[in-house]
Amino acid sequence: MPEPEKLDTCRRRLAVARGDAPADLLIKGARLVNVLSGEIHEADVAVADGVVVGFSGREAARVIEADGRYLCPGLIDGHIHIESTLLSPPVFARAVAPHGTCAVMCDPHEIANVLGLAGIEYMLACSRDLPVTCYFMMPSCVPATDMATSGARLGATDVAAMLARHPDRILGLAEVMNYPGVVAGDADMLRKIRAARGRVIDGHAPGLTGRALDAYVTAGPGSDHECTHLEEAREKLRRGMHIMIRQGSTEQNLEELIPLVTAENAGRFSLVSDDRDPVDLSRKGHLNALVAQAMACGVPPVTAVAMASINPARYFNLRRRGAVAPGYRADFVLVNDLKSFDITDVFLEGRHVADMEFSDYSCLTPPRAMHVAGDVTEARLAIPAQKGARIKAIGLIPGQIVTECRVMDALVRDGLAVADPSRDLAKLAVIERHKATGNIGLGFIAGLKLQNGAIAGTVAHDAHNLIVAGANDADMILAAQALMVSGGGFAVAGGGRLLAQVRLPVAGLMSDAPLEVVMEGLVALRAAYRQIARPKPEALDHPFMAMSFVSLEVIGALRLTDQGLFDVASFSRTPLFV
């Protein structure tokens, strides 16, 4: 039986819907982008107690004249890692709310790989009751594989326990990245999938095709956000997968995949950001930018809006979310022009964003997460080599997180293989930071555009060890030591000096500072990178995010972890020298 106050709330909403009582809010003269009926029509939208109750005019405590502006449902990001924004959940919510985001599906496997269940509970606590609803998916791959050293290990019992403990906030199993294990019938992976039966199970299967894809889908994953080619997405779509078209700061797949969307299959697609840089969030926006880009690529407006609202809501079984209609939560935006998606007003649960006090929300700081064994020295970074040696270098691909294996001649000096900035070849080191094992993986990376100096970070998917790339060992050591002392973050060194640093004290992944402070630090960090990088247009827009993915051993082709160089295709360690 409903609780008295809930029953009273229901009765009041019904009274407003019947016209027997005034509404809290009335938006008059709007052109409603109706993602349920697939049309744009005129409507006066009435709201009572945070819920839409009707489309006709009536008395209201607050009346806003839309004057023909478009009214669209609030936007829902179906796949994002808040940690990758470098912002704590409350600061993140404050940053995305003005861009029309009303809900996000978070995969906290970044902080879980550092702090385990305590990291997930931290994210849940920090995001509770925020104006932007933060739902979560339970990480499936902590660690992602045994090819890297992470800070925690979560099993099927942990998955089951967390789903039972937080049934309304943890909606299912997060991206199942160990797709080779799933296809091969790995017992641990199948137990995790079984623990989430009856819930949403997200996929992560870059390049998977044919019978292996059949096996993966048969096991349970129902979506994929890793498609980089249209035919790859088509094959997965035909097998019933929900295709999440990703357009993040580094991973940009929208233009390639959007031609696959048709009137017949549009309900099987969502727009997601996955990883979004805070500078991009502030300057370019969030899902609103993706909706505008989709329309610029020829997607009809109602379809583009649906891909960022009702489609993810339906995929994640969110009742009465993702549309503007009676009984739905009153999340909506007013837009001047659909093509530019120029948002003028945002309402979350019937309240204007300008009236919300995001500063009231605070987070506890989790424990220190920097445990490196010993000093990082030139001897520990040395790579012995003979003249004429050839190496396998990780090759960055612009606009993608996948990499390629480039076989190159090593530059050998005094019996050591060293960086060669003339060929855009930097030395790369991944230093274990969770369990003080002393592990350091060494290799080379092509594509960071470093002329001199070094860059370092503790954001290094998914184990998030300390990663550093540079043109010389001395600056690599300086950048790494700065982060070891500060507890994590990003650093740039050049000419024997620390040029810039951004501190990320929350697990070495997130700042506890306001967006403006983080932005200021990142702007200085990028300016420092440009001092040691090749000039524009060659210098990267997101060098730290690009570097952060070269240790992710479940997507490739070639990766470096604290345990060495790995060939993703064979899922095995591979020698640096050919």
Side-chain angles (χ1 to χ4, degrees):
M1 185 171 179
E3 297 176 8
E5 63 271 21
K6 291 185 177 180
L7 186 59
D8 289 345
T9 299
C10 180
R11 285 172 172 161
R12 180 177 181 276
R13 288 172 180 164
L14 291 175
V16 177
R18 294 192 304 265
D20 296 337
D24 299 328
L25 172 68
L26 181 68
I27 308 294
K28 290 189 64 177
R31 286 186 280 183
L32 175 61
V33 178
N34 195 319
V35 295
L36 299 175
S37 64
E39 61 180 328
I40 299 174
H41 60 83
E42 294 183 359
D44 294 339
V45 177
V47 176
D49 296 311
V51 169
V52 176
V53 294
F55 286 164
S56 58
R58 67 204 68 206
E59 292 184 7
R62 183 179 185 183
V63 177
I64 293 180
E65 297 287 348
D67 295 324
R69 285 178 289 172
Y70 296 92
L71 192 147
C72 303
L75 307 179
I76 300 173
D77 195 334
H79 182 70
I80 189 171
H81 305 280
I82 289 181
E83 303 98 312
S84 293
T85 69
L86 312 181
L87 307 173
S88 66
V91 178
F92 166 79
R94 182 183 180 187
V96 300
H99 299 302
T101 302
C102 67
V104 291
M105 307 298 159
C106 313
D107 177 0
H109 75 219
E110 317 296 358
I111 198 168
N113 268 287
V114 179
L115 297 174
L117 292 178
I120 300 172
E121 294 287 3
Y122 165 85
M123 297 295 283
L124 286 162
C126 277
S127 60
R128 183 177 292 114
D129 298 327
L130 289 173
V132 175
T133 309
C134 293
Y135 296 103
F136 289 84
M137 301 292 282
M138 184 61 192
S140 67
C141 294
V142 178
T145 71
D146 290 325
M147 294 189 293
T149 305
S150 68
R153 182 175 293 272
L154 302 181
T157 55
D158 298 305
V159 171
M162 291 295 281
L163 288 172
R165 190 179 307 158
H166 303 284
D168 297 329
R169 300 202 60 202
I170 302 182
L171 304 183
L173 192 65
E175 53 180 314
V176 181
M177 296 185 293
N178 187 359
Y179 58 91
V182 174
V183 172
D186 176 80
D188 287 341
M189 288 308 307
L190 295 185
R191 288 191 192 101
K192 291 176 184 178
I193 292 174
R194 184 172 176 79
R197 62 186 181 277
R199 301 289 198 102
V200 177
I201 299 173
D202 278 338
H204 168 116
L208 201 61
T209 186
R211 292 180 178 176
L213 178 59
D214 289 339
Y216 184 74
V217 176
T218 298
S223 68
D224 192 87
H225 61 275
E226 291 291 344
C227 297
T228 56
H229 301 291
L230 188 144
E231 289 308 315
E232 175 188 1
R234 190 193 307 278
E235 186 174 1
K236 291 172 178 174
L237 182 67
R238 285 174 173 173
R239 282 159 173 77
M241 301 192 88
H242 186 93
I243 305 301
M244 296 180 175
I245 297 179
R246 174 178 58 190
Q247 189 73 4
S249 291
T250 300
E251 321 97 318
Q252 299 174 359
N253 311 124
L254 191 148
E255 289 188 7
E256 170 68 23
L257 302 182
I258 209 71
L260 188 59
V261 179
T262 67
E264 292 77 15
N265 65 25
R268 303 293 298 172
F269 291 87
S270 292
L271 299 173
V272 303
S273 65
D274 197 358
D275 297 289
R276 195 73 167 166
D277 179 278
V279 176
D280 285 348
L281 277 181
S282 178
R283 296 177 177 176
K284 299 178 181 179
H286 186 206
L287 290 175
N288 57 316
L290 276 61
V291 171
Q293 187 174 354
M295 286 189 284
C297 290
V299 177
V302 176
T303 301
V305 172
M307 291 168 64
S309 56
I310 193 62
N311 290 7
R314 284 173 171 163
Y315 174 74
F316 287 101
N317 301 316
L318 302 182
R319 296 188 68 252
R320 302 296 179 110
R321 299 293 298 265
V324 179
Y328 280 69
R329 183 174 132 149
D331 300 320
F332 48 79
V333 301
L334 286 172
V335 179
N336 273 330
D337 173 67
L338 274 184
K339 288 187 177 181
S340 64
F341 215 70
D342 176 26
I343 296 175
T344 61
D345 296 272
V346 177
F347 295 85
L348 300 179
E349 203 169 10
R351 298 173 59 205
H352 198 287
V353 165
D355 299 330
M356 296 179 179
E357 284 290 339
F358 288 89
S359 59
D360 289 346
Y361 302 95
S362 60
C363 286
L364 298 175
T365 300
R368 179 178 173 85
M370 184 66 67
H371 307 284
V372 177
D375 294 328
V376 179
T377 63
E378 290 190 6
R380 296 180 71 188
L381 297 183
I383 304 176
Q386 296 180 344
K387 287 188 176 181
R390 289 172 65 76
I391 58 170
K392 298 172 186 173
I394 298 173
L396 296 180
I397 300 175
Q400 304 294 338
I401 62 172
V402 293
T403 59
E404 59 188 7
C405 177
R406 299 183 190 174
V407 177
M408 306 175 68
D409 293 327
L411 176 59
V412 180
R413 290 178 181 161
D414 301 324
L416 300 176
V418 297
D420 187 356
S422 68
R423 291 183 294 158
D424 192 15
L425 185 67
K427 182 186 278 189
L428 186 69
V430 178
I431 303 161
E432 195 277 321
R433 73 168 174 109
H434 305 297
K435 300 176 180 177
T437 62
N439 291 349
I440 298 182
L442 298 173
F444 291 91
I445 181 170
L448 278 177
K449 310 301 181 183
L450 296 177
Q451 285 186 314
N452 55 73
I455 63 175
T458 51
V459 177
H461 304 278
D462 275 334
H464 295 292
N465 287 305
L466 172 55
I467 188 168
V468 55
N472 65 80
D473 289 356
D475 285 327
M476 289 177 69
I477 292 169
L478 180 59
Q481 287 179 336
L483 298 185
M484 290 163 59
V485 171
S486 69
F490 298 116
V492 178
R497 296 187 303 113
L498 186 65
L499 301 179
Q501 181 177 2
V502 171
R503 291 175 172 82
L504 301 177
V506 182
L509 301 175
M510 294 178 286
S511 173
D512 55 1
L515 174 63
E516 296 77 13
V517 175
V518 178
M519 282 275 294
E520 183 179 346
L522 289 175
V523 169
L525 195 76
R526 290 184 180 181
Y529 160 76
R530 287 192 289 270
Q531 290 181 44
I532 63 172
R534 295 186 179 190
K536 285 281 190 180
E538 289 191 68
L540 301 182
D541 290 330
H542 302 284
F544 291 90
M545 189 170 283
M547 182 176 67
S548 74
F549 283 104
V550 301
S551 60
L552 178 56
E553 71 271 25
V554 292
I555 183 170
L558 196 64
R559 298 293 182 179
L560 182 71
T561 76
D562 67 300
Q563 298 179 26
L565 197 64
F566 285 88
D567 180 342
V568 177
S570 64
F571 227 55
S572 62
R573 189 166 180 171
T574 187
L576 173 62
F577 294 97
V578 178

